[in-house]
Amino acid sequence: MFSYRHAFHAGNHADVLKHMVLLASARHLAQKETGLLYIDTHGGAGLYRLDGDFARTSGEAEEGFLQLRRQLGEQALAPALDDYLSVINQFSQGHARQIYPGSPFLLHHLMRPQDRLRLFELHPTDIKSLKANMAQLDGASLVNVAHEDGFEALKKLLPPPSRRALVLCDPSYELKDDYQRVIEAMEDALKRFATGTYLVWYPLIPRAQAHDLPKRLKTLADRVKRPWLNATLTVKSSKVLRDDKGELQRPGLPASGMLVINPPYTLAGLLEPALAQVSQCLAQNRHAGFAVETSPG
Ligand code: SAM
């Protein structure tokens, strides 16, 4: 059932988009003193090696985070991109290894003593890694890691006692059901806690469910009169092409999006210049680009 391992994809263009949006959103929410509940429904292993076998086999980080770091290292950067690169780089400082932090480590990095972090993961191997990786960190008592279905677990946690929460919903979509489960989870979450900040990652691939997902999330938010933001990053075309030998080349993931319900009001302004730099740097062909769209009004 679980063939997806995030270790193959850590640091790819989808992680760049997702983690930049996550950091910018969480930083904004953390400006208020009141404690925040961070929930990561699909945590993965937490920490990855970009110089290890998984990342080297896929080569995805090479065309993602590592390319940004190589090419943009010395340039003046948009603040959200600058923050993303400097936070990720901190994890490798003083190590011979090239480390990439997943969303659990990024959220932990931003935590204050008044905040709490709840992490969920179902893969039998990745949950062990996630638990072991999180156990090394300070403030372990503020973090709870569970081998549970993240969609189901969300229901028990909302509304949070502090009435402030950021939820990252980042499924692998290896099960077709995941698209419908995201919609149901967000619909339920908005009923329980309409003012939470919800971040949903989704792939932009030629499949009807994937295309419909952002539309359906926007409709859900509109129905309860909550604002939304949709940011997409495209690095290449989704067309299946032929190589020099005439063999069909599967394109891999061409693009992805982050749909944020109740985004910080600063988010669109932060993402536009950052994604302009990212999409220019990670473009694999002329189909590359980005978009930041917000709810009307
Ligand atoms: N959020 C992580 C990050 O940004 O570093 C990456 C998560 S990865 C895209 C998705 C993870 O969800 C996989 O590790 C997979 O095993 C796990 N998973 C799949 N279905 C799940 C479910 N129903 N509940 C919790 N975890 C699940």
Side-chain angles (χ1 to χ4, degrees):
M1 171 179 163
F2 288 110
S3 55
Y4 181 93
R5 305 294 303 280
H6 196 65
F8 286 105
H9 311 289
N12 68 1
H13 63 85
D15 262 9
V16 171
L17 171 70
K18 180 202 315 171
H19 295 154
M20 204 164 69
V21 175
L22 179 66
L23 280 172
S25 303
R27 285 236 191 259
H28 181 88
L29 294 180
Q31 285 172 11
K32 265 197 187 166
E33 211 37 48
T34 318
L36 272 163
L37 176 63
Y38 290 121
I39 303 172
D40 193 347
T41 57
H42 296 68
L47 205 58
Y48 305 93
R49 281 190 62 178
L50 297 187
D51 53 353
D53 289 344
F54 289 99
R56 281 199 175 144
T57 304
S58 73
E60 290 188 21
E62 274 299 329
E63 297 179 336
F65 164 71
L66 293 173
Q67 181 150 324
L68 283 180
R69 201 177 58 179
R70 263 193 314 271
Q71 291 192 7
L72 299 181
E74 305 302 318
Q75 282 185 32
L77 298 178
L81 176 56
D82 193 30
D83 188 39
Y84 164 75
L85 286 177
S86 61
V87 169
I88 304 288
N89 282 334
Q90 281 174 39
F91 284 86
S92 295
Q93 262 161 24
H95 287 279
R97 296 167 177 175
Q98 177 60 61
I99 309 287
Y100 189 88
S103 49
F105 267 60
L106 294 177
L107 289 170
H108 177 274
H109 180 78
L110 298 185
M111 277 178 82
R112 308 158 300 170
Q114 65 269 41
D115 299 330
R116 299 291 179 271
L117 174 58
R118 302 290 303 254
L119 304 169
F120 300 94
E121 171 58 46
L122 271 186
H123 193 287
T125 309
D126 282 353
I127 184 66
K128 281 190 199 145
S129 308
L130 182 60
K131 284 189 171 172
N133 285 331
M134 298 309 291
Q136 298 167 23
L137 297 171
D138 295 338
S141 64
L142 308 180
V143 182
N144 185 290
V145 187
H147 188 192
E148 278 178 49
D149 182 316
F151 294 119
E152 282 300 313
L154 191 55
K155 296 180 185 162
K156 298 184 290 191
L157 297 175
L158 301 177
S162 66
R163 298 273 160 181
R164 301 193 70 222
L166 178 151
V167 178
L168 173 65
C169 186
D170 179 27
S172 43
Y173 299 94
E174 70 178 307
L175 302 174
K176 280 189 197 148
D177 262 15
D178 279 351
Y179 294 96
Q180 181 59 26
R181 295 195 76 196
V182 166
I183 298 293
E184 286 167 10
M186 289 301 118
E187 189 168 17
D188 181 78
L190 285 168
K191 274 187 198 141
R192 290 171 195 276
F193 183 50
T195 57
T197 296
Y198 300 96
L199 289 77
V200 178
W201 179 86
Y202 60 92
L204 271 168
I205 49 176
R207 168 180 284 183
Q209 286 167 306
H211 268 273
D212 286 349
L213 188 74
K215 286 187 210 153
R216 294 176 72 192
L217 289 170
K218 290 174 196 173
T219 304
L220 276 184
D222 288 341
R223 214 183 285 151
V224 291
K225 299 190 170 37
R226 306 307 309 179
W228 51 261
L229 175 152
N230 188 32
T232 60
L233 174 66
T234 302
V235 297
K236 58 185 164 187
S237 150
S238 60
K239 282 197 183 128
V240 177
L241 300 171
R242 286 187 189 276
D243 65 13
D244 302 344
K245 295 176 193 144
E247 303 282 333
L248 287 179
Q249 288 289 302
R250 287 176 143 265
L253 182 69
S256 71
M258 279 289 269
L259 193 301
V260 186
I261 300 176
N262 293 318
Y265 73 93
T266 51
L267 192 59
L270 283 169
L271 291 180
E272 272 169 15
L275 285 174
Q277 288 182 312
V278 170
S279 71
Q280 199 179 17
C281 179
L282 301 188
Q284 292 182 28
N285 59 34
R286 65 188 172 79
H287 298 277
F290 74 99
V292 179
E293 181 196 8
T294 53
S295 49

